[in-house]
Amino acid sequence: MKNKELAKIFNDMSRFLRMEGVAFKPYAYERAAISLESLEKEVSEIYSKGGTKALLEISGVGKAIADHIEEYLKTGKIKVYEEQKKKLPINLDELTKVEGMGAKKAKILYEKLGVKNIKDLEKVVKAHKVAPLFGFGEKTEKNILQGLEFLKKDKGRFSVGNILPTARNILEKLKNLKEVKTIGLAGSVRRRKETIGDVDILAVSEKPEKVMNFFVKLDGVEKVWGKGGTKASIRMKEGFDIDLRIVPEKSYGSALQYFTGNKDHNIITRRIAIDKGLKLSEYGVFKGEKYIAGKTEEDVYKAIGLNWMPPEIRENQGEIELSLKNKLPNLIEQKDIKGDLHCHSKPDEVKHSKNSKNLIKEIAKTAIKKGYEYIGISDHTKFLRIDDGLDEKGLLKQHEVIKEINKEFIKQKFDIHILHGCEANIMPDGSIDIENAVLEKLDYVIAGVHSSFKMSKQEMTERLIKAMGNPNIDIISHPTGRLIGKRDEYQLDFDKILETAKRTGTILEINSSPYRLDLRDIYIRRAKNQGVKMIINTDSHQKEQLGLMEYGVSMARRGWAEASDIVNTLSLQNLMKNFKK
DNA sequence: GCCGTTTTCGGCCCGACTGTTTTCAGTCG
């Protein structure tokens, strides 16, 4: 993990240098940081095997930075960095999160007003001490204040599950304008990041003013940040921003390429262009003044010697290297999914109502519409009293109900098979809240942690390892327990979890709920690399939520998963082979 | 500070927009 620590330090050093007005050096540190972040090997390992000479092999690392790395590995500190921090003891990470605050402004505010962090910033802004400063003004002060309030309200980022439907809606409205020739989403929404800062939309139009005027007057616009000839930016009442850019038709592909990739991906692609004697910008690929490509993304990547790659992986995590070698993964797609095994019905109906079949039938019919081959009902179990968890008796009764529905469906020629499972609870000691004798009778069993989240890393790891050792537990639901923006993942030795999953043949869930998205991308990639099987489920509590599958699939794609890594891409028969009994 | 089919010096990703200025710096993506 030294790679990450060093990357952060070099990023900080880069920003310090930028604040001092030093030219070009910041780039060098930034590049080294990017390089370290995407390095596959541990830098400490590289150093222990080959010394500073081996460090020089890392791209972006030269003599000075190699020395810094060596110093850090030996002493845990880098002297010049510590000195920089002493000279300017400000929390840059925090301050630059405020919209409109960059490194230079932060430095001035520290020197003139002693601002070290967000709290200080709020104080001086509210006391109107900022506006009179040279280079600042009334508007800047007001913008900083708004930026601060925005950060407080929702931490500045929104769940992709909240953003995507609104974004699609607006896209549709713009698409209907006759002045709009082509339009599409870019940015982190297109990459399907779990949280989105703002939405980027790109369009081609010969009458940009008309499109812009329509855009800033859309329903739900709270504020217009700015509107120029080719770019406009609005704040929606829901609290997030949307940027619209109008580009020439021959630049649509290059603009899409540029506004989709994350920063690192773009820096690298532009550097690759330079190495080939070309220039890549949002306007196209150029050789000198001459336009070479830009109309489509495919053209752009091809012009600089790369293969087109799916937006979800454009994060400089090795995709560029693989693209050069023609070895990009064949990512899983929504159409590969053959069923959803984490669907809740209303256990209450099973216990009390005579019509307990109805909801399960509705869920199954929704699944048929989605083209699924199977659907799994997996309700909570008895420990979760608040969610009407089923006890052993209830589960057995539900099992009979589902058997009957399957028989009815066969008669009526409904083309789906309903599997019966449950989502049992993993108790703090790793035991399960339902007797094995009953679990055995079900088609499959999901188990998850729904209580005591604050255990030590060792305890929580042992808790899960014990559950995975249970021969009746097939799937671990939402394995890290995080709730996006609300609750951190619990402490877990994920390497040990992967090792155990592999050894015991336990499947890890990719939970599609936009509030969970758990496993997240980086864990999916690690699971894939270890050969651990995964399943993408919706955890739906209403039949409409079966549609959340797309978020799970996107997360899986961000984790580089292919269909072969995900068991619910298999036919029913082959799926069953992945269960323990 | 780093790098090299423009290779040991000279360039580094790049353009739009805002707010402050009065020709441009800072920020963003």
Side-chain angles (χ1 to χ4, degrees), chain A residues 41 77 125 180 260 340 350 375 385 485 492 517 533 573:
Chain A
K41 282 189 200 149
K77 275 183 186 168
V125 167
V180 170
T260 297
D340 185 348
V350 175
I375 185 85
R385 295 219 181 100
L492 211 53
L517 293 172
K533 293 289 175 204
Q573 207 185 358

Side-chain angles (χ1 to χ4, degrees), chain A residues 329-538:
Chain A
N330 189 12
L331 302 182
I332 183 172
E333 294 177 42
Q334 172 90 37
K335 67 175 169 51
D336 297 322
I337 301 290
K338 295 206 165 68
D340 185 348
L341 293 197
H342 191 163
C343 304
H344 293 274
S345 69
K346 284 211 175 70
D348 202 33
E349 288 189 357
V350 175
K351 281 191 268 188
H352 309 295
S353 152
K354 284 176 188 157
N355 291 327
S356 64
K357 286 182 185 174
N358 285 349
L359 184 59
I360 296 176
K361 279 187 190 171
E362 278 179 43
I363 293 171
K365 283 179 186 169
T366 310
I368 294 173
K369 278 188 205 145
K370 297 192 79 65
Y372 289 164
E373 189 182 330
Y374 45 84
I375 185 85
I377 303 297
S378 55
D379 280 313
H380 286 299
T381 54
K382 67 185 178 190
F383 176 77
L384 284 188
R385 295 219 181 100
I386 203 163
D387 279 321
D388 251 324
L390 291 167
D391 59 10
E392 282 83 355
K393 211 173 130 197
L395 274 172
L396 290 173
K397 190 173 166 192
Q398 191 179 45
H399 198 62
E400 293 310 311
V401 168
I402 288 175
K403 259 191 196 165
E404 283 172 32
I405 301 176
N406 272 323
K407 275 185 201 159
E408 279 178 38
F409 273 21
I410 290 171
K411 266 188 210 158
Q412 296 167 3
K413 298 217 157 76
F414 281 138
D415 201 10
I416 193 140
H417 187 82
I418 306 170
L419 293 168
H420 184 220
C422 68
E423 186 186 17
N425 297 295
I426 303 173
M427 308 308 288
D429 65 356
S431 65
I432 304 297
D433 66 337
I434 296 290
E435 288 170 20
N436 273 317
V438 172
L439 295 180
E440 256 172 39
K441 293 207 163 72
L442 308 182
D443 296 320
Y444 66 97
V445 177
I446 303 177
V449 168
H450 295 103
S451 62
S452 308
F453 302 107
K454 292 204 168 154
M455 298 172 87
S456 74
K457 188 170 179 177
Q458 194 189 346
E459 284 173 323
M460 190 57 102
T461 306
E462 281 167 9
R463 178 181 183 183
L464 277 166
I465 287 177
K466 186 174 169 199
M468 286 192 275
N470 183 318
N472 290 305
I473 304 301
D474 301 297
I475 299 167
I476 300 295
S477 56
H478 37 73
T480 72
R482 70 159 179 177
L483 294 174
I484 296 172
K486 257 192 187 167
R487 184 174 75 208
D488 268 343
E489 54 192 48
Y490 32 73
Q491 301 279 311
L492 211 53
D493 183 335
F494 198 66
D495 281 323
K496 281 198 179 140
I497 297 299
L498 289 178
E499 204 180 286
T500 312
K502 174 100 183 167
R503 179 172 52 78
T504 58
T506 310
I507 300 159
L508 299 185
E509 180 183 73
I510 298 169
N511 190 294
S512 304
S513 162
Y515 301 106
R516 292 191 181 270
L517 293 172
D518 175 11
L519 300 174
R520 56 181 293 207
D521 41 21
I522 52 171
Y523 292 131
I524 294 169
R525 190 136 178 227
R526 281 167 69 182
K528 174 197 162 83
N529 289 340
Q530 297 299 313
V532 170
K533 293 289 175 204
M534 292 169 277
I535 185 166
I536 309 177
N537 287 327
T538 60

Side-chain angles (χ1 to χ4, degrees), chain A residues 19-185:
Chain A
M19 276 195 295
E20 310 256 283
V22 179
F24 305 116
K25 267 198 209 181
Y27 283 119
Y29 280 97
E30 198 179 55
R31 245 182 280 157
I34 291 173
S35 191
L36 280 168
E37 252 172 10
S38 55
L39 209 60
E40 298 215 343
K41 282 189 200 149
E42 259 294 313
V43 70
S44 49
E45 210 176 292
I46 295 174
Y47 176 69
S48 67
K49 276 186 191 154
T52 44
K53 209 178 152 203
L55 294 177
L56 291 171
E57 299 285 307
I58 302 169
S59 103
V61 175
K63 177 82 179 70
I65 290 183
D67 285 348
H68 288 330
I69 296 176
E70 180 177 45
E71 186 187 349
Y72 186 72
L73 292 175
K74 277 188 177 160
T75 67
K77 275 183 186 168
I78 297 172
K79 211 173 146 207
V80 282
Y81 175 57
E82 298 299 322
E83 278 165 8
Q84 275 176 339
K85 277 203 292 191
K86 227 179 262 168
K87 210 161 115 196
L88 278 173
I90 59 183
N91 190 337
L92 258 187
D93 259 357
E94 197 179 281
L95 286 170
T96 52
K97 275 197 187 114
V98 179
E99 187 85 17
M101 279 288 293
K104 294 256 171 83
K105 279 186 185 154
K107 185 180 180 228
I108 296 172
L109 290 179
Y110 170 69
E111 285 170 350
K112 303 279 183 195
L113 302 171
V115 171
K116 291 182 187 170
N117 50 40
I118 282 194
K119 266 193 184 164
D120 297 345
L121 181 64
E122 192 172 0
K123 248 185 251 163
V124 297
V125 167
K126 286 198 168 151
H128 300 295
K129 287 182 182 165
V130 174
L133 294 177
F134 183 81
F136 290 75
E138 289 296 332
K139 281 198 173 170
T140 306
E141 186 175 272
K142 209 174 143 203
N143 282 341
I144 293 176
L145 188 61
Q146 283 182 348
L148 281 167
E149 275 163 12
F150 184 57
L151 268 186
K152 260 197 231 160
K153 206 167 88 190
D154 353 61
K155 291 186 184 157
R157 293 193 77 83
F158 294 80
S159 158
V160 62
N162 291 332
I163 293 248
L164 194 59
T166 311
R168 280 181 176 149
N169 188 348
I170 286 172
L171 203 65
E172 208 49 43
K173 284 183 186 162
L174 290 167
K175 207 184 249 174
N176 287 335
L177 289 182
K178 63 175 192 300
E179 287 84 5
V180 170
K181 236 177 159 178
T182 313
I183 191 160
L185 288 173

Side-chain angles (χ1 to χ4, degrees), chain A residues 73-345:
Chain A
L73 292 175
K74 277 188 177 160
T75 67
K77 275 183 186 168
I78 297 172
K79 211 173 146 207
V80 282
Y81 175 57
E82 298 299 322
E83 278 165 8
Q84 275 176 339
K85 277 203 292 191
K86 227 179 262 168
K87 210 161 115 196
L88 278 173
I90 59 183
N91 190 337
L92 258 187
D93 259 357
E94 197 179 281
L95 286 170
T96 52
K97 275 197 187 114
V98 179
E99 187 85 17
M101 279 288 293
K104 294 256 171 83
K105 279 186 185 154
K107 185 180 180 228
I108 296 172
L109 290 179
Y110 170 69
E111 285 170 350
K112 303 279 183 195
L113 302 171
V115 171
K116 291 182 187 170
N117 50 40
I118 282 194
K119 266 193 184 164
D120 297 345
L121 181 64
E122 192 172 0
K123 248 185 251 163
V124 297
V125 167
K126 286 198 168 151
H128 300 295
K129 287 182 182 165
V130 174
L133 294 177
F134 183 81
F136 290 75
E138 289 296 332
K139 281 198 173 170
T140 306
E141 186 175 272
K142 209 174 143 203
N143 282 341
I144 293 176
L145 188 61
Q146 283 182 348
L148 281 167
E149 275 163 12
F150 184 57
L151 268 186
K152 260 197 231 160
K153 206 167 88 190
D154 353 61
K155 291 186 184 157
R157 293 193 77 83
F158 294 80
S159 158
V160 62
N162 291 332
I163 293 248
L164 194 59
T166 311
R168 280 181 176 149
N169 188 348
I170 286 172
L171 203 65
E172 208 49 43
K173 284 183 186 162
L174 290 167
K175 207 184 249 174
N176 287 335
L177 289 182
K178 63 175 192 300
E179 287 84 5
V180 170
K181 236 177 159 178
T182 313
I183 191 160
L185 288 173
S188 50
V189 183
R190 185 162 178 239
R191 297 202 309 279
R192 298 290 191 273
K193 247 191 110 170
E194 61 195 40
T195 60
I196 310 288
D198 53 18
V199 176
D200 290 298
I201 300 178
L202 290 178
V204 175
S205 171
E206 269 145 30
K207 292 187 175 148
E209 317 90 83
K210 286 209 168 164
V211 183
M212 288 300 185
N213 287 334
F214 179 83
F215 175 67
V216 299
K217 284 184 190 129
L218 279 167
D219 271 351
V221 174
E222 185 182 87
K223 179 184 162 105
V224 179
W225 291 114
K227 181 171 151 252
T230 62
K231 184 189 162 179
S233 184
I234 55 175
R235 159 83 35 100
M236 301 301 289
K237 284 190 181 126
E238 287 119 297
F240 60 87
D241 294 347
I242 305 181
D243 292 347
L244 171 67
R245 287 180 173 80
I246 310 282
V247 298
E249 191 164 20
K250 65 174 197 173
S251 301
Y252 184 69
S254 43
L256 204 55
Q257 193 277 330
Y258 178 59
F259 286 107
T260 297
N262 79 348
K263 194 178 166 207
D264 294 352
H265 179 94
N266 290 341
I267 290 175
I268 308 268
T269 45
R270 288 190 175 196
R271 288 181 56 77
I272 287 177
I274 292 170
D275 288 347
K276 292 193 180 308
L278 302 168
K279 187 183 78 166
L280 170 62
S281 77
E282 57 261 52
Y283 291 102
V285 181
F286 296 88
K287 182 158 201 157
E289 295 289 302
K290 198 179 156 222
Y291 168 92
I292 308 256
K295 199 169 175 197
T296 70
E297 270 191 339
E298 285 82 353
D299 294 347
V300 170
Y301 278 112
K302 204 174 150 199
I304 60 169
L306 296 172
N307 290 299
W308 182 88
M309 47 200 109
E312 294 93 331
I313 62 168
R314 297 188 200 167
E315 306 247 351
N316 187 36
Q317 294 295 322
E319 74 279 8
I320 291 167
E321 292 79 353
L322 289 189
S323 175
L324 282 166
K325 292 184 206 154
N326 274 325
K327 280 188 178 163
L328 283 169
N330 189 12
L331 302 182
I332 183 172
E333 294 177 42
Q334 172 90 37
K335 67 175 169 51
D336 297 322
I337 301 290
K338 295 206 165 68
D340 185 348
L341 293 197
H342 191 163
C343 304
H344 293 274
S345 69

Side-chain angles (χ1 to χ4, degrees), chain A residues 562-578:
Chain A
E562 302 180 85
S564 55
D565 300 310
I566 307 293
V567 297
N568 54 328
T569 61
L570 297 169
S571 66
L572 179 61
Q573 207 185 358
N574 288 331
L575 169 76
M576 299 303 280
K577 286 183 196 155
N578 278 281

